[in-house]
Amino acid sequence: MTAIQGVIMSNSLSKTTAYVQVIQNDQQAINAAYQVADFALEGRNTRDQQRQLPYEQIESFSQKGLGGIRIAKKYGGAFVSNKTLAQVFRILSKGDANVGQIPQNQISLLNLIEIMGTEQQKQFIFSEILAGKRLANGGPERNTHDSKTLKTTLTIENGKYILNGEKFYSTGTSFAHWLAIKAVHPEGHVVLVIVNRDAQGIEVINDWNGFGQRTTASGTVKLNQVEVNPDLIFDERLLTQVPTYRGAYSQLLQVAIDVGIAEAAFEDTLSTIHKARPIIDANVEKASFEHYTLQEMGKLNILLDAAILLLDEAAEYLDELDQLENVTDEQVAKASILVAEAKVYANDAALQISEKLLELGGSRSSLSQHNLDQHWRNARVHTLHDPVRWKLHAIGNYYLNGHFPARHAWI
């Protein structure tokens, strides 16, 4: 029995899952996303106001087969297009932005494993996901120079690999079966290790208290003398050996989440205005007839449409690159720039529409029972993930000076 086979047996015995649907094509993925989003929408306000984690909704995401929609077909996945992937996360995030954000790290991590993993590693991880298991990111660390700096270490003690450290911004770890943790290898380079969420020495703490994205469980993971299976260690140096568009791929999901937030806010803006009273000076029968309101809604509609179109354009370019055996530095740079352009508009659409919702809805829209402020809170917190000011810098430097953006998960 190999080490990975031993992990499969122990993990499968400790945590069984219900029947998982197998998604075979893009349309099935979109249909499943709508089903999960409808379910997520039902209790969204209560969960947000009371910080109740969406366990059932995330389980539905897995049981509907959405967790493995970008896994290659030879491993049993549907490998849907990037355009469909973006649409899936738009749909989820429109229903509940938290439910949209929680699984996005899993999708990005599976892409990294596709790039770095051996055949045996990929077969194991992908089969776990397709069986309904979930993978979450251990997250960056607090009190370091920047988000790439690591204090978490992987050491060798008595012939065993041992993990020690503490992570934060660990979105989705409360829902996960497996955790992906970045650490410094004894030889000095960075590795990604996959550990069982229930392994001895792991403590997941839901101490995330951000005012937005309240139920993403983006809190702390403590790692104390955690034994690591050597067969589940991935060398991150492999990510830089050949050009890849992993950064653009990861960012595409972030853009889709922001667009989904904007769509939810726009829909609530329409319904809220129809319930609002007109301003006296407008001399109109309904708030929806006010001239300035009509103008503002026209602007917001154009902004949202532009964000969606730019997201689709970026996704379609990634789909073109998916058809190539190898990509060039120039193609990788273009991919990052197209996604960055989409990010700029998605950022503005999510923030501006969610803010205008309250302005155009009037005082009544601020009542806590309506919870309409959640869209702005979610947009403001999620858009902090990758500051749009640096997207604009990268875009300007690319077109003006021909400078290619850096290669990492944030561009």
Side-chain angles (χ1 to χ4, degrees):
M1 179 186 294
T2 67
I4 284 188
Q5 286 172 333
V7 173
I8 293 173
M9 290 185 66
S10 63
N11 192 61
S12 297
L13 289 172
S14 63
K15 282 190 176 180
T16 58
T17 56
Y19 173 75
V20 178
Q21 296 180 23
V22 178
I23 289 177
Q24 298 179 332
N25 56 55
D26 291 52
Q27 189 58 54
Q28 288 178 1
I30 292 170
N31 293 344
Y34 277 118
Q35 292 169 6
V36 176
D38 288 345
F39 181 36
L41 180 60
E42 289 176 11
R44 181 184 69 190
N45 289 353
T46 300
R47 291 195 303 273
D48 176 75
Q49 291 174 325
Q50 299 181 13
R51 290 188 182 269
Q52 297 174 355
L53 298 185
Y55 288 110
E56 293 181 356
Q57 291 72 24
I58 296 302
E59 181 64 19
S60 176
F61 172 90
S62 298
Q63 296 305 316
K64 294 291 185 184
L66 289 169
I69 56 175
R70 277 289 292 180
I71 291 175
K73 292 185 177 181
K74 74 174 185 175
Y75 299 109
F79 198 68
V80 302
S81 69
N82 289 284
K83 188 174 182 179
T84 293
L85 181 69
Q87 186 174 353
V88 164
F89 276 82
R90 274 177 54 200
I91 293 167
L92 294 173
S93 299
K94 182 180 179 182
D96 183 339
N98 297 268
V99 172
Q101 185 182 348
I102 289 165
Q104 56 86 21
N105 275 332
Q106 173 172 302
I107 302 297
S108 295
L109 286 164
L110 294 177
N111 183 54
L112 296 184
I113 291 169
E114 173 64 39
I115 297 170
M116 296 186 292
T118 65
E119 192 65 20
Q120 187 183 28
Q121 288 172 326
K122 287 190 277 192
Q123 286 179 358
F124 170 57
I125 296 297
F126 294 162
S127 67
E128 285 286 278
I129 298 302
L130 291 171
K133 303 293 180 64
R134 289 180 290 278
L135 175 65
N137 186 15
E141 301 175 10
R142 279 175 157 175
N143 305 317
T144 56
H145 175 67
D146 55 40
S147 58
K148 291 186 69 175
T149 303
L150 298 175
K151 294 182 180 179
T152 300
T153 59
L154 185 68
T155 57
I156 301 177
E157 301 177 17
N158 299 319
K160 298 179 179 179
Y161 283 96
I162 303 298
L163 188 65
N164 284 285
E166 184 173 314
K167 300 290 187 175
F168 195 63
Y169 304 113
S170 304
T171 301
T173 48
S174 292
F175 311 90
H177 302 86
W178 295 95
L179 304 183
I181 307 293
K182 285 189 178 184
V184 179
H185 190 272
E187 297 177 1
H189 57 276
V190 175
V191 292
L192 182 74
V193 301
I194 307 296
V195 292
N196 192 319
R197 158 72 174 78
D198 291 333
Q200 185 174 351
I202 294 180
E203 183 181 6
V204 174
I205 306 170
N206 180 27
D207 55 353
W208 170 248
N209 64 356
F211 62 73
Q213 296 298 88
R214 290 175 171 176
T215 63
T216 56
S218 300
T220 300
V221 173
K222 293 185 177 181
L223 308 152
N224 181 24
Q225 292 293 108
V226 179
E227 185 175 346
V228 175
N229 184 338
D231 289 336
L232 293 178
I233 299 174
F234 300 80
D235 188 343
E236 291 220 341
R237 291 177 296 183
L238 296 172
L239 295 174
T240 59
Q241 287 187 352
V242 296
T244 68
Y245 44 95
R246 63 186 179 93
Y249 180 83
S250 175
Q251 285 296 296
L252 188 77
L253 296 174
Q254 306 294 350
V255 177
I257 293 168
D258 290 339
V259 172
I261 294 172
E263 290 181 290
F266 188 83
E267 188 171 285
D268 276 350
T269 302
L270 293 175
S271 61
T272 301
I273 290 173
H274 281 296
K275 298 173 186 175
R277 295 183 296 181
I279 299 298
I280 295 174
D281 293 337
N283 293 317
V284 292
E285 200 175 311
K286 299 179 179 179
S288 59
F289 295 161
E290 287 188 25
H291 298 327
Y292 293 119
T293 296
L294 295 174
Q295 176 179 274
E296 291 295 335
M297 289 306 298
K299 290 179 180 178
L300 296 180
N301 186 78
I302 293 169
L303 179 58
L304 179 57
D305 282 352
I308 294 171
L309 288 170
L310 286 170
L311 173 61
D312 285 346
E313 180 184 13
E316 288 167 359
Y317 185 69
L318 294 189
D319 285 330
E320 291 179 22
L321 298 187
D322 274 350
Q323 305 305 311
L324 305 177
E325 187 172 345
N326 298 295
V327 295
T328 65
D329 291 332
E330 290 78 9
Q331 289 168 325
V332 169
K334 181 178 178 180
S336 288
I337 292 301
L338 289 177
V339 176
E341 291 173 355
K343 170 69 175 177
V344 171
Y345 267 78
N347 175 93
D348 291 353
L351 289 171
Q352 291 183 32
I353 295 172
S354 59
E355 196 278 333
K356 284 293 181 179
L357 160 60
L358 300 173
E359 176 188 338
L360 300 178
S363 300
R364 188 180 306 174
S365 66
S366 68
L367 297 178
S368 60
Q369 63 260 35
H370 301 314
N371 205 39
L372 293 174
D373 60 306
Q374 69 180 298
H375 300 304
W376 183 88
R377 288 187 285 101
N378 290 338
R380 182 63 284 175
V381 169
H382 187 259
T383 54
L384 297 174
H385 188 282
D386 308 286
V388 73
R389 61 186 181 276
W390 281 100
K391 304 295 184 186
L392 291 164
H393 174 273
I395 294 167
N397 211 9
Y398 175 80
Y399 287 112
L400 186 61
N401 300 316
H403 182 83
F404 290 177
R407 288 186 194 163
H408 51 60
W410 298 278
I411 186 64

